[in-house]
Amino acid sequence: MLYPYQQIALGSSVRSGQISNEQIKEIIYNLLKNVYRAFDFRDEDNVYDKLALSVDGNLLTEIYLQNRKSMLIEQAGGAQAKVIQVQVEHAEIGQPAARSDDAIDVRTNWSALGTVGHWGHVHTRRNVYDAVLTLAVVDGSWKITGIDVLEETRVDPYTQQGQAESRAAQ
């Protein structure tokens, strides 16, 4: 288990084509799991430090500031969310682009199953994402440096597929 957190170390060169879509899928799973778990912390320094293990650059600042805003809403009596399961369905490395850095773009589909609590009750929610994640090696570890969400869909977690996922998360 990677809990509480782990940096995902570089194993081989992406540019030379030595990494498979299955390997990148596992890397993305671990990075996303770390990102979602960072929000389990309430201390701002802990949240930032845990996010920094898996996210870098401007994206780190954006995600951290979004989290601070959410925490203020929660403290004012708003919704509280907790992701309990992340599942990466598909990850495919894009064609190498003419970039000045060693980053890669990966078309990724994943789902996040969690709970949202407000006004004294809790709802189970499942969101499905289709996005292009930009990954780069920073200080010897994989990190997410960009994200372009193409589609976000909330699906009923109580459908036959959703129920199987809910049982797996328990």
Side-chain angles (χ1 to χ4, degrees):
M1 239 348 172
L2 293 175
Y3 194 78
Y5 295 92
Q6 168 178 316
Q7 289 183 315
I8 313 304
L10 173 64
S12 62
S13 172
V14 173
R15 288 285 182 209
S16 65
Q18 296 177 348
I19 189 163
S20 71
N21 285 330
E22 280 304 311
Q23 290 169 316
I24 207 73
K25 182 177 172 181
E26 183 69 21
I27 290 166
I28 289 172
Y29 166 76
N30 288 317
L31 291 171
L32 289 172
K33 186 172 70 168
N34 282 352
V35 169
Y36 285 115
R37 287 205 172 149
F39 300 120
D40 291 344
F41 291 88
R42 294 292 170 229
D43 178 73
E44 291 184 30
D45 290 337
N46 282 336
V47 171
Y48 188 87
D49 291 344
K50 301 313 179 200
L51 280 173
L53 293 174
S54 298
V55 182
D56 196 59
N58 291 336
L59 185 61
L60 173 59
T61 303
E62 289 174 32
I63 291 174
Y64 174 72
L65 291 175
Q66 286 174 357
N67 179 62
R68 285 195 64 207
K69 184 178 178 181
S70 296
M71 288 177 72
L72 291 175
I73 292 170
E74 180 181 320
Q75 290 171 355
Q80 300 172 339
K82 179 175 176 71
V83 172
I84 55 178
Q85 181 188 40
V86 176
Q87 186 171 2
V88 178
E89 304 293 335
H90 180 77
E92 185 174 344
I93 300 169
Q95 293 298 319
R99 300 176 73 112
S100 60
D101 57 11
D102 287 330
I104 59 168
D105 291 327
V106 183
R107 179 77 179 258
T108 309
N109 303 100
W110 79 92
S111 64
L113 178 69
T115 58
V116 178
H118 58 100
W119 298 325
H121 59 280
V122 177
H123 301 279
T124 301
R125 298 261 170 87
R126 181 172 173 254
N127 288 356
V128 177
Y129 300 89
D130 180 14
V132 176
L133 300 179
T134 302
L135 304 182
V137 176
V138 179
D139 298 327
S141 296
W142 288 107
K143 294 193 181 189
I144 302 169
T145 58
I147 184 169
D148 181 13
V149 176
L150 305 172
E151 184 175 2
E152 177 181 359
T153 307
R154 182 180 299 163
V155 297
D156 183 355
Y158 299 108
T159 62
Q160 189 172 16
Q161 180 182 7
Q163 288 174 357
E165 290 173 353
S166 294
R167 283 193 300 272
Q170 294 175 354

